[in-house]
Every structure is written in structure tokens, then in C-alpha cells.
């Protein structure tokens, strides 16, 4: 007797198997819809909670009082170990979130509840996958207006509020420079910009060194050195592990009417043999090299990772800025050359001239601005150097030396130049 089924039985098994496969596929597909990561980034400016999932999340958000809470109901989701760990992510020093809890509200809805320390203005939105990050549901908690103390010389919160309302993109003329000669009649105002932050880690080395952490350390060291100078004062676009949109970084420098803007990064490339320090300035006419174009594209992606639309540019689209912008770029190139020559004394130079490309963070029309790639974090040896206090301090001293040389030349002492 044959072990094979009859033709009729084979047809029945094939049909039944197809139905079974279809039902299993549907169940399997639903089972794979889950949260794969939760991140909370607290800062003095705002706190961000991110749920990352392999499929888009549908949600409803509302507020409850006594105590103050923000509630988010997420449809077609079930609790898992990642969601259950949200309470452990809340830090005691978070100025906005007191605690977090999560529960299965009904059969297909997960409810996330954030108990608050103060009144907040929540902003919730979803983000598509980008740069290896899956679908995200993002909840930003900003202090309710007038409820959070801010240093009088730090306009970041107001600028973020303007940005969220769409007011930051309104046409503005170049800011009038501070009165007096920088370094002579008044302190030189320098804005330091540690790249990336918060949701955007920047590049990561083979040994898990994160660009956002290293450049923040270098910027802090540089600020200490600058503030020791009797004729200089430094500010920072961020002094915490927080995401700040590129346009807000530029706007903060213009709000404080900075004389210089220095963005600090740690380069990365697919080839780990790439090494060396670099300095970049803005170009409005295309990149001066393929490498500069590639780097500008990767750095400009920071806004996409952080959840910001890459909309039009209110600076470079206006011909009234053309003359000011050209003079500023020329000054940026000269300033960058001073910094680059000093970096060459503490590290190999990737390129011996200042390169140019369309970096969004360098687009202040009236502030000489450079982007310093301190070293390649993707290079094993330079990753090791970047982690050392010695090299971080050497980079900070090199940049300070470039600042001093630039102003000592007298080229930047005249307001409005």
C-alpha cells in the first residue's frame, strides 16, 4: 500500500494548509507589533519620552488633574517586558516627570501614564524610520509658560517655544551686533555647539563611544578655558544630553548676538582607516569636496533623527543676506584656518585646508561659523584618543588658540564686519 495520499486527499490537504497558513500569518503579524525600546531624555529645558516600535503606533493623548498627569492610550498593542520597564527609566532629577506607569487598559489598548512634577505643555507626534531607528511615538514635555526658572542669559526655552509654534521661521533681518569692539570694549561672545544630543547620538565608535557624549565634554572644557579669559565669554547651545533642532542652535547664537559660532563633532566614515581632524565652513554654492558633501548630509540628518522637518531656509533664500553672508563665509574661512593650523599640532589633519559644504548649523548670515571635526570616532586609535582627558583638553586648547589668533589679527574687532 502506498503511503502517499490520494489525489482528492492531496487537494483537501493543500486547501486546508493554505487556510491554516493564512490564519497563522495573521496571528504572527499581530504578535510582531510591539514596542522594542523606550527612552527618556530629561533636561532642564524639556523632557522627551520615545517609544520605538516595528510598526506605526496609533494613540490618543489627554490630561488628568489632581495629581497632574499626561495619559497616552496606544491602540493595538500589548504589554511586554520593554513597556513594563518604563518606571525604571524615570530619573529622580527629571524636572517634569515624577513617575511613569503602564497597564493593559483593555484587550487591545496599552495606557501609559506620566505623573508630573509641574504643569507642562505636551507635544506628541510620530516619526518614520530613519538611520536605523524604527517607527517612533515621541512625547515632549515643555514647562507651561512662566512655570520654569530659566537663567536670564539663556533664551533656549523661549526659542524652542517659538520653534514649536512656527514663529522661529518668520523672516528676520540680521541681528545688530553688540555695541563696542569685541575683545576691546566688551567681551567676545562665543557660542559653542556640541553636536547631536538626546535622541540623536551622532556617530558611534566600535567600542560604543558616542559622539554626543565626547563633544559635550570637549565643549565644556573649552567653555572653562574661554571663561578664564578676561575678554571672552562662552555660551553653549546645549549643556545636557538633550536634542536641540539645528535652527534653534543657530537662533540662540543670533539671540545672544555671538561674535563666533563653533560646532564641535567627531567624524565617522565607513572605512575605519580614515583619520584626522578637519574644519569646515559654510558653502552656498555646493560642497568643495565629495567628503564635505557626505559629511554635511549626515550632520543635517540630525533634525530628521530628532523629529524635525527639513523645511526651507529663511536665511539663504533671501538675496538681502547675500552680501552679509559672503563676508561672513570669508571670515569663517580665515577663522577656520587659524583653528585648523593649531589642531594640526595635536592630531593628524584629514585635510590641510578648510573644507566647505551646506551645513545647516553654520547658516547664521552674520556670525562667522565653523564646524570642527575633532577626530574620526570610527577609527579605533582616534576613538581611544577621543575618550582621554588629555586629547579632549588639547582639542579645546587648539580651538581657543585659533580664537585668540583670529581676534589678535584685528580682522574681527569691528562691529558688523
Amino acid at each position: 500500500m502506498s503511503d502517499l495520499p490520494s489525489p482528492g486527499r492531496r487537494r483537501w490537504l493543500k486547501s486546508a494548509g493554505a487556510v491554516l497558513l493564512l490564519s497563522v500569518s495573521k496571528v504572527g503579524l499581530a504578535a510582531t507589533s510591539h514596542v522594542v525600546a523606550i527612552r527618556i531624555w530629561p533636561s532642564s529645558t524639556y523632557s522627551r519620552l520615545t517609544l520605538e516600535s516595528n510598526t506605526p503606533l496609533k494613540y490618543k493623548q489627554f490630561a488628568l488633574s489632581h495629581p497632574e498627569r499626561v495619559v497616552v492610550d496606544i491602540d493595538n498593542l500589548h504589554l511586554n517586558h520593554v513597556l513594563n520597564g518604563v518606571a525604571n527609566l524615570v530619573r529622580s532629577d527629571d524636572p517634569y516627570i515624577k513617575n511613569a506607569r503602564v497597564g493593559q487598559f483593555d484587550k487591545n489598548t496599552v495606557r501609559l501614564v506620566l505623573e508630573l512634577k509641574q504643569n507642562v505643555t505636551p507635544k506628541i507626534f510620530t516619526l518614520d524610520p530613519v538611520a536605523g531607528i524604527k517607527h517612533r511615538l515621541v512625547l515632549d514635555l515643555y514647562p507651561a509658560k512662566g512655570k520654569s526658572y530659566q537663567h536670564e542669559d539663556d533664551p533656549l526655552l523661549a526659542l524652542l517655544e517659538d520653534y514649536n509654534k512656527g514663529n522661529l521661521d518668520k523672516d528676520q533681518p540680521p541681528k545688530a551686533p553688540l555695541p563696542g569692539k569685541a575683545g576691546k570694549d566688551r567681551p567676545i561672545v562665543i557660542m559653542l555647539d556640541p553636536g547631536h544630543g538626546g535622541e540623536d547620538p551622532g556617530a558611534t565608535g566600535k567600542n560604543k563611544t558616542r559622539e554626543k557624549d565626547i563633544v559635550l565634554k570637549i565643549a565644556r572644557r573649552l567653555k572653562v578655558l574661554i571663561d578664564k579669559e578676561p575678554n571672552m565669554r562662552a555660551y553653549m547651545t546645549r549643556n545636557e544630553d538633550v536634542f536641540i533642532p539645528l535652527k534653534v542652535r543657530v537662533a540662540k547664537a543670533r539671540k545672544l548676538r555671538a561674535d563666533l559660532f563653533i560646532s564641535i563633532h567627531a567624524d565617522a566614515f565607513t572605512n575605519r582607516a580614515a583619520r584626522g581632524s578637519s574644519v569646515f565652513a559654510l558653502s552656498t554654492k555646493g560642497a568643495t569636496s565629495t567628503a564635505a558633501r557626505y559629511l554635511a548630509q549626515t550632520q543635517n540628518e540630525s533634525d530628521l533623527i530628532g523629529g524635525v522637518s527639513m523645511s526651507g531656509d529663511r536665511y539663504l533664500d533671501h538675496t538681502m543676506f547675500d552680501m552679509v553672508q559672503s563676508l561672513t563665509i570669508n571670515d569663517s574661512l580665515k577663522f577656520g584656518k587659524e583653528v585648523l593650523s593649531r589642531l594640526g599640532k595635536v592630531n593628524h589633519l584629514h585635510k590641510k585646508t578648510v573644507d566647505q559644504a551646506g551645513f545647516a548649523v553654520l547658516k547664521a548670515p552674520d556670525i562667522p561659523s565653523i564646524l570642527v571635526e575633532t577626530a574620526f570616532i570610527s577609527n579605533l586609535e582616534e576613538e581611544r584618543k577621543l575618550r582621554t582627558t588629555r586629547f579632549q583638553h588639547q582639542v579645546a586648547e587648539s580651538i581657543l588658540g585659533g580664537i585668540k589668533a583670529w581676534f589678535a589679527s584685528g580682522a574681527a574687532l569691528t562691529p558688523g564686519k
Side-chain angles (χ1 to χ4, degrees):
M1 179 181 291
S2 172
D3 291 331
L4 296 176
S6 66
R9 182 171 176 79
R10 283 199 298 270
R11 286 193 297 271
W12 182 86
L13 287 172
K14 183 177 181 181
S15 175
V19 172
L20 181 61
L21 179 62
L22 182 62
S23 63
V24 169
S25 296
K26 287 182 178 179
V27 172
L29 188 61
T32 58
S33 300
H34 61 277
V35 171
V36 298
I38 302 178
R39 295 179 288 275
I40 298 179
W41 305 107
S43 75
S44 61
T45 307
Y46 72 101
S47 289
R48 167 170 289 194
L49 182 146
T50 301
L51 301 179
E52 185 180 350
S53 66
N54 66 328
T55 58
L57 297 176
K58 296 181 179 180
Y59 64 91
K60 296 177 182 176
Q61 177 255 319
F62 56 95
L64 295 174
S65 300
H66 309 297
E68 300 297 323
R69 287 156 288 167
V70 171
V71 181
V72 182
D73 284 345
I74 308 169
D75 297 334
N76 300 317
L77 191 66
H78 296 90
L79 284 176
N80 62 9
H81 72 283
V82 176
L83 285 163
N84 284 327
V86 67
N88 298 325
L89 299 178
V90 179
R91 286 175 21 184
S92 60
D93 61 346
D94 191 312
Y96 306 108
I97 303 174
K98 183 176 181 180
N99 59 58
R101 55 186 180 272
V102 67
Q104 195 72 47
F105 184 66
D106 60 32
K107 184 178 179 181
N108 292 307
T109 303
V110 166
R111 171 164 288 185
L112 172 67
V113 180
L114 301 180
E115 187 173 341
L116 307 173
K117 293 180 179 179
Q118 60 173 290
N119 290 333
V120 300
T121 300
K123 180 183 179 184
I124 189 167
F125 53 96
T126 58
L127 295 172
D128 294 330
V130 62
I133 302 174
K134 300 182 186 296
H135 296 273
R136 285 169 291 165
L137 176 62
V138 179
L139 176 62
D140 288 343
L141 302 176
Y142 295 90
K145 191 171 183 179
K147 296 293 185 180
S148 181
Y149 171 78
Q150 292 291 310
H151 293 290
E152 61 180 10
D153 60 0
D154 187 354
L156 183 56
L157 184 60
L159 290 171
L160 282 167
E161 185 177 358
D162 286 342
Y163 184 87
N164 289 326
K165 291 180 179 178
N167 296 334
L168 193 65
D169 288 331
K170 290 182 178 179
D171 292 343
Q172 295 180 14
K175 297 286 185 182
L178 291 168
K181 292 183 178 181
K184 298 289 186 180
D185 304 321
R186 61 172 178 82
I188 299 165
V189 178
I190 302 163
M191 180 60 69
L192 305 179
D193 174 47
H196 310 283
E199 187 74 358
D200 172 24
T204 302
K206 186 175 181 180
N207 293 314
K208 309 303 180 184
T209 309
R210 299 186 300 187
E211 180 181 6
K212 67 174 183 177
D213 300 328
I214 295 298
V215 298
L216 180 58
K217 290 179 180 180
I218 293 173
R220 285 173 172 168
R221 294 184 188 281
L222 179 54
K223 185 181 188 308
V224 170
L225 294 177
I226 290 173
D227 288 343
K228 288 181 179 178
E229 299 292 323
N231 63 339
M232 296 183 186
R233 188 172 185 187
Y235 298 88
M236 295 174 65
T237 57
R238 71 175 182 95
N239 198 13
E240 302 171 274
D241 185 15
V242 61
F243 171 77
I244 305 295
L246 299 178
K247 285 186 177 180
V248 176
R249 297 171 189 243
V250 177
K252 183 176 181 181
R254 299 189 78 232
K255 181 78 172 180
L256 294 176
R257 295 187 282 181
D259 298 296
L260 289 176
F261 182 94
I262 303 168
S263 192
I264 302 173
H265 292 258
D267 213 344
F269 194 61
T270 52
N271 183 356
R272 292 196 183 275
R275 67 188 183 101
S277 303
S278 306
V279 175
F280 297 84
L282 179 66
S283 172
T284 61
K285 300 176 182 178
T288 51
S289 71
T290 302
R293 183 183 302 108
Y294 169 80
L295 182 61
Q297 290 173 346
T298 57
Q299 298 296 0
N300 292 347
E301 281 181 354
S302 292
D303 274 0
L304 295 176
I305 295 172
V308 177
S309 173
M310 296 289 282
S311 56
D313 183 0
R314 65 189 170 108
Y315 296 136
L316 300 184
D317 292 342
H318 293 78
T319 55
M320 66 177 292
F321 288 142
D322 283 354
M323 184 175 295
V324 174
Q325 188 87 70
S326 296
L327 291 172
T328 300
I329 290 175
N330 188 48
D331 282 346
S332 300
L333 289 168
K334 293 177 181 177
F335 170 49
K337 184 178 180 181
E338 297 287 0
V339 173
L340 187 66
S341 67
R342 285 156 181 81
L343 283 172
K345 297 176 181 178
V346 300
N347 196 34
H348 171 79
L349 292 183
H350 186 67
K351 189 174 181 180
K352 295 183 179 180
T353 58
V354 179
D355 225 342
Q356 291 179 264
F359 293 90
V361 79
L362 301 182
K363 290 184 177 179
D366 45 0
I367 305 172
S369 304
I370 62 171
L371 186 146
V372 178
E373 291 288 356
T374 55
F376 277 82
I377 203 169
S378 53
N379 179 286
L380 285 172
E381 176 60 23
E382 292 200 338
E383 179 188 10
R384 184 196 64 77
K385 289 176 67 174
L386 284 165
R387 295 167 67 105
T388 66
T389 299
R390 181 172 183 270
F391 185 68
Q392 292 170 14
H393 191 73
Q394 286 178 328
V395 170
E397 287 184 319
S398 298
I399 297 174
L400 176 62
I403 295 171
K404 287 181 174 181
W406 165 238
F407 281 94
S409 70
L413 295 179
T414 304
K417 185 172 176 60

